[in-house]
């Protein structure tokens, strides 16, 4: 299907029964699809676009019959359509988010992070819409500050294997702040930390999905380096709630959206082995280039400005995610030790 061909056309006229007319880019992605559901549940009308380079339109199947939802297959780097210009609020999630995806398409990753953001900023300036940019904890790079707070400038390799994503997102933030300072654009910037939950996809390169799939299929769990590097894991419902709080509030950001619980890769692997009952082994592989050693958000700003904090425990979130992958893989049970 060509990039501009609609899977379902935008409606000709907005319904007065709904709240905001909301545009969600990257809507068929993991976080984007959950966000669309939450917005519809709040009574908003959602215009969803995605070029499906990494998204899955199947994530939106349950929404396609909803009278407040429309979907169009379109690249955010292309010209905007008149229907998109009806949006009063824009959530921009259009960018590959996992290393496995963005390292395979570094040019497209930079373009979506820069050209795509520019197109949306130009549109929002014309229409007066509020634009929320989903930035990332990767702007902090291999941080020398711990936990990472929003005033930390980061420690990023501009020419490394991850730079297309890291520096692309940093440039996206810089562009929107420039539009705000020079042209008064109404912007919000969220820095999302590791998010997990149902609709992660097998083979997407994210550590939670990798470990769960490997455990359910009886494969070795691949840990890079010594496994002592840390990450924090925020359940997708909590991440979506944080994004919506930021959009609804009057604080520009950047604001960290993540769970401050810090876990080593070895701890995560052992938890998943126990929870799945898998007999898989943990094996070690060389650490990838520029892989951050520690990653944990300082969410003081989110708590004070948005009254937001994560609510789903790692144990509960992992169980929901494991159940999802059992369904996806048809792995209703595994051989226990």
């Amino acid at each position: 299907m060509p990039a501009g061909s609609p899977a379902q056309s935008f409606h000709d006229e907005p319904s007065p029964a709904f709240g905001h007319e909301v545009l969600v880019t990257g809507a068929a992605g993991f976080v984007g699809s959950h966000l669309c559901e939450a917005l519809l549940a709040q009574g908003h009308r959602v215009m969803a676009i995605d070029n499906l380079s990494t998204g899955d339109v199947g994530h939106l199947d349950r929404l396609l019959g909803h009278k407040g939802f429309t979907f169009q297959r379109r690249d955010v780097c292309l010209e905007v359509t008149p229907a998109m210009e009806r949006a009063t609020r824009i959530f921009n999630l259009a960018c590959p988010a996992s290393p496995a995806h963005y390292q395979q398409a570094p040019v497209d990753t930079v373009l979506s992070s820069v050209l795509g953001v520019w197109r949306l900023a130009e549109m929002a300036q014309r229409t007066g819409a509020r634009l929320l940019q989903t930035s990332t904890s990767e702007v902090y790079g291999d941080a020398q500050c711990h936990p990472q707070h929003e005033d930390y400038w980061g420690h990023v390799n501009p020419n490394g294997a991850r730079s297309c994503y890291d520096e692309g997102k940093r440039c996206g933030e810089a562009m929107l702040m420039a539009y705000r300072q020079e042209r008064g654009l109404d912007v919000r910037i969220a820095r999302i930390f590791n998010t997990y939950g149902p609709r992660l996809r097998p083979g997407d390169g994210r550590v939670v999905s990798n470990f769960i799939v490997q455990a359910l299929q009886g494969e070795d769990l691949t840990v890079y380096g010594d496994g002592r590097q840390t990450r924090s894991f925020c359940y997708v419902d909590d991440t979506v709630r944080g994004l919506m709080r930021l959009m609804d509030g009057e604080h520009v950001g950047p604001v960290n959206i993540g769970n401050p619980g810090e876990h080593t890769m070895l701890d995560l692997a052992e938890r998943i082995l126990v929870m799945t009952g898998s007999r898989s082994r943990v094996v070690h592989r060389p650490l990838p280039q520029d892989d951050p050693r520690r990653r944990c958000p300082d969410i003081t700003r989110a708590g004070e400005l948005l009254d937001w904090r994560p609510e789903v425990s790692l144990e509960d979130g992992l169980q929901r995610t494991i159940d999802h992958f059992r369904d996806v893989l048809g792995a209703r049970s595994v051989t226990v030790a």
Side-chain angles (χ1 to χ4, degrees):
M1 181 185 295
S5 299
Q8 177 176 332
S9 300
F10 289 129
H11 296 325
D12 292 335
E13 296 296 336
S15 168
F18 290 90
H20 284 284
E21 188 88 1
V22 183
L23 174 65
V24 178
T25 69
F30 162 52
V31 176
S33 61
H34 285 276
L35 175 62
C36 288
E37 288 185 357
L39 289 166
L40 289 170
Q42 280 197 350
H44 301 299
R45 182 182 173 91
V46 176
M47 299 181 290
I49 69 170
D50 199 302
N51 70 354
L52 302 182
S53 60
T54 60
D56 182 351
V57 73
H59 291 162
L60 304 174
D61 279 350
R62 71 185 70 187
L63 305 181
L64 291 176
H66 193 292
K67 62 181 180 180
F69 180 80
T70 52
F71 172 74
Q72 188 177 65
R73 184 173 182 178
R74 171 166 289 275
D75 193 322
V76 73
C77 295
L78 301 178
E79 294 289 343
V80 301
T81 67
M84 292 165 63
E85 293 194 335
R86 290 203 297 262
T88 57
R89 292 188 171 183
I90 304 164
F91 287 88
N92 182 33
L93 290 83
C95 185
S98 75
H101 290 149
Y102 62 67
Q103 290 180 17
Q104 290 177 357
V107 173
D108 287 344
T109 298
V110 173
L111 287 173
S112 64
S113 299
V114 180
L115 177 58
V117 170
W118 173 74
R119 289 214 183 275
L120 292 174
E122 285 285 296
M123 182 184 78
Q125 185 181 2
R126 290 194 303 272
T127 64
R130 176 174 293 179
L131 170 56
L132 185 148
Q133 166 71 356
T134 55
S135 189
T136 173
S137 61
E138 296 298 334
V139 301
Y140 299 121
D142 188 8
Q144 298 176 322
C145 164
H146 191 81
Q148 291 82 59
H149 56 80
E150 293 89 346
D151 293 331
Y152 176 57
W153 291 356
H155 181 230
V156 176
N157 178 356
N159 300 304
R162 306 167 71 100
S163 63
C164 59
Y165 186 67
D166 301 2
E167 294 287 44
K169 288 292 191 177
R170 287 163 67 94
C171 186
E173 287 194 22
M175 182 180 299
L176 291 181
M177 292 305 291
Y179 265 83
R180 177 176 182 269
Q181 292 161 7
E182 180 180 328
R183 304 180 183 181
L185 187 66
D186 189 8
V187 302
R188 302 289 182 269
I189 297 174
R191 289 177 178 166
I192 299 177
F193 282 66
N194 289 58
T195 299
Y196 72 101
R199 295 184 206 148
L200 284 175
R201 300 174 70 182
D204 66 4
R206 291 178 169 97
V207 65
V208 171
S209 51
N210 282 355
F211 283 175
I212 291 176
V213 169
Q214 289 169 341
L216 290 177
Q217 294 185 330
E219 301 171 354
D220 293 338
L221 270 65
T222 306
V223 171
Y224 295 98
D226 62 11
R228 295 179 184 176
Q229 66 271 34
T230 68
R231 297 291 184 271
S232 63
F233 301 101
C234 192
Y235 190 68
V236 64
D237 290 356
D238 286 330
T239 296
V240 165
R241 187 166 47 84
L243 295 176
M244 294 171 72
R245 288 273 180 95
L246 180 59
M247 177 65 92
D248 289 341
E250 298 305 319
H251 308 285
V252 172
V255 176
N256 289 337
I257 302 295
N259 193 314
E262 187 177 7
H263 304 274
T264 68
M265 297 300 93
L266 283 175
D267 172 64
L268 180 67
E270 290 166 1
R271 282 174 181 257
I272 289 174
L273 287 174
V274 170
M275 294 179 71
T276 57
S278 175
R279 297 193 303 179
S280 297
R281 301 177 305 135
V282 172
V283 298
H284 293 262
R285 296 287 183 266
L287 196 67
Q289 180 188 16
D290 300 327
D291 194 61
R293 293 164 295 177
R294 299 186 73 182
R295 182 59 57 73
C296 180
D298 181 333
I299 61 169
T300 301
R301 184 175 294 183
E304 292 177 348
L305 301 183
L306 308 179
D307 191 27
W308 176 88
R309 57 195 54 79
E311 296 177 353
V312 179
S313 69
L314 183 61
E315 191 82 7
D316 288 345
L318 284 178
Q319 188 59 62
R320 299 177 198 178
T321 310
I322 290 168
D323 291 344
H324 161 76
F325 276 109
R326 287 192 194 278
D327 290 340
V328 169
L329 301 173
R332 298 293 177 178
S333 63
V334 295
T335 303
V336 296

